[in-house]
């Protein structure tokens, strides 16, 4: 590719991608692209992950074969009991509960749009399974986590999103971010131990 930048020779064995600029190369090198999948699912299924946030997303999805009954609600309840900084208190007490059904039926099909439609946000889906996945996700829940670093305060619906934010170190308060990132490893382990 004309004018492209490649990984230095030391990284060539990992990746043979070409990049349009030095900046693109630097972003790629700082990404998790070459990190091994060395974090096992705490419930003992055969999945392995690159990031702690991915483990939490796996558990929150309710798709872990070895942990039936574990989903977003259980992960979030475990986070509350683990004393994680950044958990936004629920003014009604307890965990955040849904007040709508989490399973759609064929009646969700809108023939005028030729798609299944979410009754909460009107988002359209080609497949009923996709609509049901959307309904069981955190898409319509209120934020339960807030980044506690200065000048950030970003809110997140799911713990995996919050931990991923910390893993990405996108805050301008780098020292506190590094401390939170280190702490998030122990939080994640406590949560995984509670669920596993």
């Amino acid at each position: 590719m004309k004018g492209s930048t490649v990984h230095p020779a030391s990284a060539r064995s990992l990746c043979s991608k070409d990049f349009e600029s030095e900046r693109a190369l630097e972003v790629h090198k700082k990404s998790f692209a070459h990190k091994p999948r060395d974090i096992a699912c705490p419930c003992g299924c055969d999945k392995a992950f690159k990031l702690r946030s991915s483990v939490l997303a796996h558990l929150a999805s309710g798709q872990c074969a070895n942990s039936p009954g574990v989903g977003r609600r259980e992960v979030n309840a475990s986070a509350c009991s683990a004393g994680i900084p950044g958990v936004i208190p629920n003014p009604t007490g307890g965990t955040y509960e849904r007040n709508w059904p989490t399973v759609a039926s064929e009646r969700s099909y809108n023939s005028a749009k030729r798609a299944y439609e979410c009754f909460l946000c009107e988002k359209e889906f080609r497949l009923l399974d996709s609509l049901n996945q959307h309904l069981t996700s955190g898409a319509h829940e209120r934020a339960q986590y807030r980044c506690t670093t200065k000048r950030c305060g970003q809110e997140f619906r799911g713990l995996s999103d919050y931990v991923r934010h910390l893993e990405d170190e996108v805050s301008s308060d780098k020292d506190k971010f590094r401390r939170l990132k280190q702490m998030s490893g122990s939080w994640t382990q406590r949560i995984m131990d509670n669920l596993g």
Side-chain angles (χ1 to χ4, degrees), residues 1-6 17-25:
M1 183 182 305
K2 186 178 177 182
S4 66
T5 304
V6 296
K17 290 186 176 182
D18 293 335
F19 297 90
E20 291 291 325
S21 67
E22 283 293 325
R23 170 96 172 100
L25 173 61

Side-chain angles (χ1 to χ4, degrees), residues 43-78:
C43 298
C45 77
D46 61 352
K47 302 224 181 220
F49 304 91
K50 293 181 179 187
L51 305 170
R52 292 182 191 286
S53 59
S54 300
V55 176
L56 291 169
H58 166 69
L59 294 171
S61 74
Q63 300 299 313
C64 180
N66 287 0
S67 59
V70 173
R72 291 179 63 79
R73 184 174 295 157
E74 291 75 20
V75 169
N76 289 332
S78 185

Side-chain angles (χ1 to χ4, degrees), residues 62-115:
Q63 300 299 313
C64 180
N66 287 0
S67 59
V70 173
R72 291 179 63 79
R73 184 174 295 157
E74 291 75 20
V75 169
N76 289 332
S78 185
C80 289
S81 66
I84 294 176
V87 174
I88 300 171
N90 182 346
T92 61
T95 60
Y96 290 80
E97 300 292 327
R98 296 175 198 266
N99 294 320
W100 60 86
T102 56
V103 178
S105 68
E106 287 293 333
R107 291 178 33 204
S108 302
Y109 189 76
N110 183 331
S111 57
K113 295 181 178 180
R114 298 176 63 172

Side-chain angles (χ1 to χ4, degrees), residues 92-180:
T92 61
T95 60
Y96 290 80
E97 300 292 327
R98 296 175 198 266
N99 294 320
W100 60 86
T102 56
V103 178
S105 68
E106 287 293 333
R107 291 178 33 204
S108 302
Y109 189 76
N110 183 331
S111 57
K113 295 181 178 180
R114 298 176 63 172
Y116 293 93
E117 187 174 39
C118 176
F119 61 91
L120 294 167
C121 66
E122 299 181 5
K123 188 172 180 180
E124 298 170 14
F125 299 88
R126 196 172 58 81
L127 302 172
L128 180 59
D129 284 345
S130 301
L131 171 57
N132 281 319
Q133 186 175 11
H134 167 76
L135 288 171
T136 58
S137 76
H140 298 294
E141 293 179 0
R142 67 179 124 168
Q144 297 184 58
Y145 305 94
R146 180 181 299 126
C147 182
T148 58
T149 60
K150 278 191 267 181
R151 297 181 299 261
C152 183
Q154 186 173 344
E155 295 185 349
F156 305 91
R157 291 184 182 121
L159 181 61
S160 62
D161 299 325
Y162 178 39
V163 172
R164 180 60 194 249
H165 174 73
L166 296 175
E167 288 168 337
D168 287 342
E169 287 190 37
V170 295
S171 172
S172 58
D173 189 359
K174 294 292 184 193
D175 289 336
K176 186 167 186 182
F177 226 86
R178 269 189 272 287
R179 288 192 306 274
L180 278 172

